[in-house]
Amino acid sequence: MQNWTCWIPFLRSWVNAIALILLMASLHHIPAYLWWIISWLITTFPKLIYVFYVLITFSPILLIALLHHWLHQLLDQFFPESRLSNTAPVEGAFPGLVSWREGLYGWLVNQLSATLSWAILGIFLPMSNNTAVLQFSPWSLSNFLTQIPSLSIATLIIQIIFAAFFYQFEYAVQRHFAGAEYRE
């Protein structure tokens, strides 16, 4: 029988979750600073809205992959003992396969934890009318930024909790594969 304590997030999972959610929350503010340029481009070239949608949706993958790559380069340079013995040092300016996987998984964790946190709050908070569900959604960034601060904080806390459990799940799966590798 599997030990149930492996599902309680370790400190590593909490740190990953907090770092990811804070990074994504700060990334949401960048389009606000560039909005006048983006809106001018969209009004001039209406089809660019699809390009911007794809860029805004998937840019966190690139950002997380780059940050993961650079962080491990810094760790390899200043703290070489922190690297696992069976891994090679991170080299080059462009992320490798592991960093891209971390970027994709981080993006997935952010999307799933945001959706689940909004669903949890949506279940327990009253709606003023039938269209309130459209205003109370993770895809309505302008409404998110103007909402009550306590609601935003509650959303972030729930999102961090879900993200920590997703990172713990990833850790448990990696440990399982590492254990299966050594048993064969």
Side-chain angles (χ1 to χ4, degrees):
M1 184 168 192
Q2 183 78 15
N3 186 359
W4 65 271
T5 58
C6 71
W7 292 103
I8 299 172
F10 295 145
L11 180 62
R12 171 188 171 178
S13 300
W14 288 107
V15 169
N16 284 342
I18 291 169
L20 174 74
I21 301 306
L22 291 179
L23 175 69
M24 292 298 107
S26 63
L27 183 64
H28 282 296
H29 292 290
I30 292 173
Y33 293 111
L34 302 174
W35 185 245
W36 65 274
I37 295 171
I38 294 171
S39 64
W40 177 80
L41 285 171
I42 289 173
T43 56
T44 307
F45 307 104
K47 296 276 184 178
L48 278 180
I49 195 165
Y50 301 110
V51 173
F52 285 122
Y53 176 76
V54 169
L55 288 175
I56 288 172
T57 301
F58 294 109
S59 64
I61 296 172
L62 174 65
L63 179 68
I64 295 168
L66 287 170
L67 287 175
H68 181 268
H69 179 73
W70 293 333
L71 178 66
H72 281 277
Q73 277 185 331
L74 286 173
L75 287 174
D76 285 348
Q77 184 173 358
F78 296 112
F79 303 103
E81 67 278 357
S82 68
R83 186 178 65 237
L84 295 174
S85 60
N86 59 351
T87 59
V90 177
E91 296 176 353
F94 201 68
L97 182 63
V98 173
S99 294
W100 283 109
R101 188 193 71 78
E102 284 297 323
L104 183 61
Y105 191 74
W107 176 79
L108 178 67
V109 166
N110 181 56
Q111 295 296 320
L112 287 174
S113 62
T115 303
L116 289 171
S117 67
W118 282 95
I120 294 294
L121 285 177
I123 289 170
F124 292 108
L125 292 178
M127 286 190 291
S128 57
N129 57 30
N130 290 339
T131 61
V133 71
L134 298 175
Q135 297 168 355
F136 185 73
S137 73
W139 302 281
S140 181
L141 182 61
S142 61
N143 288 334
F144 177 73
L145 296 175
T146 59
Q147 286 174 353
I148 305 166
S150 60
L151 181 60
S152 299
I153 291 170
T155 304
L156 286 176
I157 290 172
I158 294 171
Q159 193 173 356
I160 287 171
I161 292 169
F162 276 116
F165 277 98
F166 284 128
Y167 275 115
Q168 183 62 28
F169 173 74
E170 176 195 27
Y171 178 73
V173 168
Q174 287 176 350
R175 293 282 310 235
H176 174 76
F177 285 142
E181 202 174 273
Y182 295 118
R183 284 182 285 195
E184 294 178 348

